[in-house]
Amino acid sequence: MTVFLRLALSCAMLTGGLGAAQTAPAAQASHAMPAARVSAAPAARTPQDTAVAQASQGTAVAQAVRAPAAPCSAPYRIDRTLPNGARWQLCWEMRNIEGLTLTKVVYTPKGNRPVSVLRSAALAQIHVPYDSGSPRYHDIGALGSTAIPLLAADCPGGERREQSVCVTTRARGHAYLKSGYEEPSVSAQGSDLVVFAAFQVGWYTYLAEWAFSDDGAITPRVGATGSLAGSTTTAGHGWPIGVGSATFEESHSHNVFWRLDFDIQGKSGDVVEQYDFSGSRTAKRKLKRTTFTREAKALNRRTRWWRVVDRGVRNADGHPVSWELNNSDSSQYRGPAGEAFTRADVYVTGYRSCERLASVNPAPRCAGSVDRYVNGERLTDPVLWVNVGYHHVPRDEDADPMPTHWQGFRVTPRDVTAKNPH
Ligand SMILES: [Cu+2]
């Protein structure tokens, strides 16, 4: 069967023209803190990716081919082949507004051709409304300036880049275990390439982590640690902290937004679909596909998921290559009318370089929040915004240092390879 993989990597980058206008609004940070240690200049980049023209021959075990020429200079380039043979290539930079930003993400399953996945990916907001109604922080606006220099112990088994970014490999447990009837069972351990940075915002330390698995999955997550902000309130809005019940630490939400600019083998041909499975209290379930032709807001449902698919890019079975997005671990915070950006779990917008943050967007040429980016445009180059909430009810164990609480979502390959690539 015919397989054709378009391999012209998109090179139109987000950053052009944006780097200079970094007058971020002062994000309302949690508490007055010592000035954060500033680190990391923007990444130097070559202006162009090298397009690799690629003739195709379609077998599931097509030969690995030459990767594109390096799209960024060495300190900002990550190129790791994991123990199972899967390879991830990407660039990182520390942007003032969004902090750690990953670009030009390319995945090469063992024995297969490289496929570009993301043009860029970064945090797009951490909205922290407290349960009594105030304060209501927008913790991202100048995140890059709050990057913490990492110690060797902060980056176990890995390498630190420009002090503030850790690149390491981590075990992820069983990739599979299959028992044979009359054969010995087979199993394999999986691993992740992990890229992370830590940011000090008020009393909180945020860990921004990206795990790139050897099966092609991507897991972005944020860990909140450091110290509780010390906001006290009444019993109805908090939890007793300290001896007795004299002081109530206030509960609050961390509504984390990510912005993912998918480009499956370049920006053309990328389409976003939503999948639902109708049927409740019935024996049958039926697949329902909704294709987003225009910008959209979407809500989580337990079995709902989305994918970005490029029908011009096929695996060896002739199925279109896609990445699936699952957002099922959110507390689904919904704010008041003035915070309409909290009222959906996934937004799909047409790419615009000045749409950078989900709220308190710093670029005056664009609207101020992601709900307003959705204004009916036809989608040609879709960008996904993912909103994951976590409701933090403090407990005694949060004192001090506060244990990390994690929140995130999953991006998994769907028909990128014709079989388990492990
Ligand atoms: Cu918290």
Side-chain angles (χ1 to χ4, degrees), residues 118 122 131 147 194 263 283 320 330 392:
L118 291 159
D131 278 18
V194 176
D263 272 1
S330 176
H392 183 191

Side-chain angles (χ1 to χ4, degrees), residues 128 130 204 206 224 228 252-254 390 392-393 402 405:
V128 189
Y130 278 69
Y204 269 79
Y206 286 118
L228 284 169
H252 53 276
S253 293
H254 297 262
Y390 170 75
H392 183 191
V393 180
M402 178 169 61
H405 51 85

Side-chain angles (χ1 to χ4, degrees), residues 12-229:
M13 291 301 300
L14 269 178
T15 45
L18 287 173
Q22 303 266 25
T23 33
Q28 214 184 348
S30 304
H31 262 69
M33 282 288 285
R37 292 149 286 188
V38 178
S39 71
R45 254 166 282 106
T46 55
Q48 292 237 308
D49 287 335
T50 303
V52 180
Q54 190 69 41
S56 63
Q57 323 116 6
T59 69
V61 285
Q63 292 178 337
V65 295
R66 187 168 54 88
C72 47
S73 61
Y76 308 103
R77 184 163 64 231
I78 297 168
D79 184 345
R80 185 150 305 193
T81 301
L82 294 166
N84 80 339
R87 183 182 185 187
W88 285 98
Q89 294 159 284
L90 55 142
C91 302
W92 70 271
E93 58 191 273
M94 190 63 74
R95 292 187 185 165
N96 181 43
I97 292 172
E98 299 94 337
L100 177 63
T101 302
L102 306 180
T103 63
K104 302 178 183 177
V105 179
V106 176
Y107 166 57
T108 309
K110 183 173 79 174
N112 283 263
R113 298 179 184 79
V115 53
S116 66
V117 186
L118 291 159
R119 180 163 61 179
S120 79
L123 283 171
Q125 193 50 272
I126 303 177
H127 173 236
V128 189
Y130 278 69
D131 278 18
S132 69
S134 69
R136 313 181 72 77
Y137 298 118
H138 299 260
D139 275 344
I140 294 186
L143 194 64
S145 67
T146 70
I148 299 169
L150 299 173
L151 306 175
D154 301 332
C155 184
E159 46 173 307
R160 287 168 291 159
R161 302 285 184 87
E162 305 222 319
Q163 294 261 303
S164 60
V165 173
C166 172
V167 180
T168 190
T169 303
R170 197 163 65 194
R172 66 172 180 91
H174 280 90
Y176 58 80
L177 190 160
K178 178 182 175 174
S179 66
Y181 231 121
E182 292 171 338
E183 298 158 18
S185 65
V186 290
S187 72
Q189 295 297 304
S191 56
D192 290 337
L193 160 67
V194 176
V195 182
F196 82 88
F199 302 92
Q200 192 64 39
V201 181
W203 291 99
Y204 269 79
T205 308
Y206 286 118
L207 308 178
E209 185 189 277
W210 298 80
F212 298 91
S213 299
D214 58 2
D215 63 357
I218 303 171
T219 309
R221 57 180 193 160
V222 160
T225 177
S227 300
L228 284 169

